[in-house]
Amino acid sequence: MSPDDLTGAAATLIHRLGALPRDTREDLSVLRGAGVDAMFLPAVAEIDVEVRRRLGVGLATRRDLRWTSQYQPLAPGYAERYAGAYAPLQQAVARVVSPRRAANRPRLLYIHGYMQPETPAEELGFLLPMALALNMEVIHVQMPFHGRRNRGLSRMSGSLYWTADMVRSLEALRQSLYDARCLLAWMRKHDPRPVGIAGISMGGVLALALACLEPDFAFALPCIAHMDITAMTHHAPVLSVMRSRLRAMGWRPGDLAELVEQTGWNSLKPQLSPDRVCLFAGRHDRFFPPQLVSQMAAQWGDPRIEWSPTSHLGWIPRLPLHLKKMRRFVDKLPGF
């Protein structure tokens, strides 16, 4: 059995132990008809960021960033939950790892994967090696319903993020992009260095979307992801419970694709030239099948793809090799 299927089995158990999601189909009309600009909020607000210095580790310094999210839900029913039970989502957070010798290097805005809990082990075993290998300051922004933005909401980080409660799922997607764009604007205001975007798995989906929404990223390094969120929902082993619950709610084949189309997601187009994009993908990925990655790449002007002979989960242990390839790619870009 593929590691992807084993992970899917574990996620299925977690999701089945959680509370049943609401059937929010009747509340989707405002999201269907919002239009691209309202759906993906181009006018980001200026944020007041609290910077907390943390104990440095060897060759790197560390900081925490906190700010009040200026996000406003579109769906009235979800707005009530956002003001009440989901109030922890109003506190946005990011973690910064900065190599001491990276003062003249570009920076990287990084988005984590689905259901990652943000533990100290992740920071020391993942973010720190990433920052040092790339010799870049890495700013790790937290998605709603994950890590510190999930306290008191569910037993498992991220288990409420992409579920059969489609209003909550789309609002969480919108807030992820909005909070990241606000943070990006703050970064640019306080530091002239160029900023690239990267993400892994679901974070890679968001990185791709941000590369469509923001024209000034210096480069993009999406990892084991594509932008077809309908296909992601249909294929990913970790979303089997979501699929079964959507069917139980009466969702028919094609309904999700129609909803995604109506939100304007499929109209998003890359703002970066293809030579500034490098996709990282697994040839045996069960979450994001390689043929769909190739199809998306063709639509993006055929940027470089770094293929790995692995499954989705098998891509992670090869991270040191991928980081070397990322470093070489960025260092060869004009101006770096």
Side-chain angles (χ1 to χ4, degrees), residues 23-243:
D23 182 352
T24 53
R25 281 177 300 170
E26 294 183 358
D27 300 327
L28 285 170
S29 58
V30 66
L31 295 169
R32 291 179 187 273
V36 173
D37 287 348
M39 187 68 188
F40 301 113
L41 298 169
V44 297
E46 184 172 339
I47 54 175
D48 183 14
V49 178
E50 176 188 0
V51 181
R52 296 182 180 181
R53 295 192 178 277
R54 301 168 61 229
L55 184 65
V57 178
L59 299 176
T61 61
R62 300 187 297 167
R63 304 188 301 279
D64 271 343
L65 308 180
R66 296 175 181 267
W67 69 97
T68 300
S69 175
Q70 302 299 308
Y71 177 73
Q72 297 294 324
L74 275 176
Y78 183 81
E80 293 180 6
R81 287 193 275 173
Y82 184 77
Y86 294 163
L89 303 183
Q90 298 173 27
Q91 179 71 66
V93 294
R95 184 157 285 176
V96 182
V97 178
S98 182
R100 300 182 190 276
R101 297 180 181 179
N104 298 317
R105 295 279 292 165
R107 296 168 293 162
L108 184 69
L109 181 59
Y110 167 74
I111 309 176
H112 59 83
Y114 177 59
M115 295 184 74
Q116 282 189 235
E118 194 199 40
T119 62
E122 280 182 277
E123 182 179 11
L124 296 176
F126 187 79
L127 287 182
L128 179 61
M130 177 188 294
L132 293 176
L134 298 175
N135 194 28
M136 293 181 197
E137 181 175 86
V138 175
I139 301 91
H140 170 207
V141 63
Q142 191 92 67
M143 291 194 292
F145 297 108
H146 287 78
R148 288 173 286 173
R149 302 187 75 179
N150 188 57
R151 288 175 179 168
L153 298 181
S154 67
R155 296 178 182 177
M156 182 63 65
S157 174
S159 64
L160 299 179
Y161 186 83
W162 194 252
T163 72
D165 183 338
M166 287 308 305
V167 165
R168 182 177 65 199
S169 295
L170 291 173
E171 292 279 10
L173 183 73
R174 292 180 69 239
Q175 186 174 14
S176 298
L177 296 171
Y178 182 73
D179 288 343
R181 297 179 80 184
C182 287
L183 179 58
L184 176 64
W186 178 84
M187 291 167 61
R188 288 175 174 155
K189 179 179 178 181
H190 293 276
D191 192 324
R193 288 179 294 168
V195 181
I197 182 69
I200 291 180
S201 193
M202 188 67 187
V205 176
L206 297 173
L208 288 162
L210 287 166
C212 294
L213 294 168
E214 290 288 340
D216 297 326
F217 278 118
F219 56 88
L221 305 170
C223 303
I224 46 177
H226 56 58
M227 276 197 72
D228 189 338
I229 55 176
T230 301
M232 176 196 76
T233 305
H234 287 327
H235 290 132
V238 295
L239 298 177
S240 63
V241 172
M242 177 181 181
R243 293 190 289 271

Side-chain angles (χ1 to χ4, degrees), residues 7-18 240-241:
T7 302
T12 295
L13 178 61
I14 291 169
H15 285 300
R16 290 201 181 281
L17 292 175
S240 63
V241 172

Side-chain angles (χ1 to χ4, degrees), residues 45 196 265 329:
W265 176 270
F329 176 81

